[in-house]
Every structure is written in C-alpha cells, then in structure tokens.
Amino acid sequence: MTTENIQLVRVYDVPEPALENSFLVDRLWPRGISKVRLTGVPWLKSIAPSEALRRWVHEDPNRWEEFRGRYLAELEQTDGWKPLVELLQQGAVVTLLFANKDTEHNQAVVLRDFLQQKLSVPV
C-alpha cells in the first residue's frame, strides 16, 4: 500500500456526496457541518484521540511530537482501526476526514501513518 491509498481531507472541503470509504475521525462533530451533509459517512469516534489527549494538545501545539506518541499508544489499545486496514488490504482507497485547520499536524496524519505501519506488519 502507498500513501495514495489513504487520503486526508478536511471535512469542510469534502465533496457532496462524500467519497466512498470516507470516515470522520474526529472526537467531536465538526462545527457547521450538518449530519445530512455527511450521510453515509461513518463517524469513528472510537479511534479518535481521547477527550483528555485532544484537550491536552490543544493547550499547546508545541506538544505535537508527544501527542503523536500518546495517540499511537491509544490506537494500540483499540481495534476500531482494523476495518480500515481490511479495506486497504482489499485495494480500496480510504479517505480520513478531519476538521483541524492544520493539515500537517492533526490526528488524521497520525492515524494514516499508523494504518500504513499496520499494513506492513501482519495484523
């Protein structure tokens, strides 16, 4: 699998209707986005960073590297990401939707890297 198989798209930029195999990966529902607009898009709250971790990193964006490590540890404690790996193994393109303005420092970036690592190691 390559990076092209996992797309990262800000939820505010998602076309309507959303692309097949799109998943919202935020803990909170994005402001200003109606649930109708994301009809058919699974909301994967269970694999989003915990509320405590989300608040912790928002207090100080300089905590990015430590956030990555803590979020990766949280992902290891759940199996909610396994269906995404299964889709990717079948050759599907998966789109991770996120609300953060920062397109380089957000949970979708960490989740993408995590999924790519899982694809290279038997699950």
Side-chain angles (χ1 to χ4, degrees), residues 2 4 7 11-12 14 30 32 35-38 41 45 49 51-52 59 64 77-78 88-89 103-104 122:
T2 62
E4 295 84 41
Q7 299 178 350
V11 71
Y12 301 101
V14 71
K35 294 197 178 188
V36 171
R37 181 171 174 193
L38 295 181
V41 173
K45 286 193 278 190
E51 182 65 19
E59 288 174 7
W64 171 247
Q77 300 301 312
T78 183
L88 291 163
Q89 288 172 331
T103 59
E104 294 181 27

Side-chain angles (χ1 to χ4, degrees), residues 17-67:
L19 299 169
E20 183 179 6
N21 297 321
S22 291
F23 301 89
L24 179 62
V25 295
D26 281 357
R27 174 69 53 183
L28 303 175
W29 190 264
R31 284 188 184 152
I33 299 291
S34 72
K35 294 197 178 188
V36 171
R37 181 171 174 193
L38 295 181
T39 297
V41 173
W43 183 13
L44 303 181
K45 286 193 278 190
S46 67
I47 62 171
S50 66
E51 182 65 19
L53 183 56
R54 186 188 68 77
R55 287 178 188 242
W56 178 81
V57 76
H58 282 281
E59 288 174 7
D60 183 355
N62 293 321
R63 295 174 172 169
W64 171 247
E65 287 304 320
E66 190 172 350
F67 167 80

Side-chain angles (χ1 to χ4, degrees), residues 52-96:
L53 183 56
R54 186 188 68 77
R55 287 178 188 242
W56 178 81
V57 76
H58 282 281
E59 288 174 7
D60 183 355
N62 293 321
R63 295 174 172 169
W64 171 247
E65 287 304 320
E66 190 172 350
F67 167 80
R68 283 184 63 88
R70 288 183 182 196
Y71 181 35
L72 289 169
E74 286 186 357
L75 286 168
E76 289 290 353
Q77 300 301 312
T78 183
D79 61 358
W81 48 266
K82 287 184 178 180
L84 299 177
V85 169
E86 290 170 7
L87 281 170
L88 291 163
Q89 288 172 331
Q90 296 168 13
V93 174
V94 169
T95 303
L96 304 177

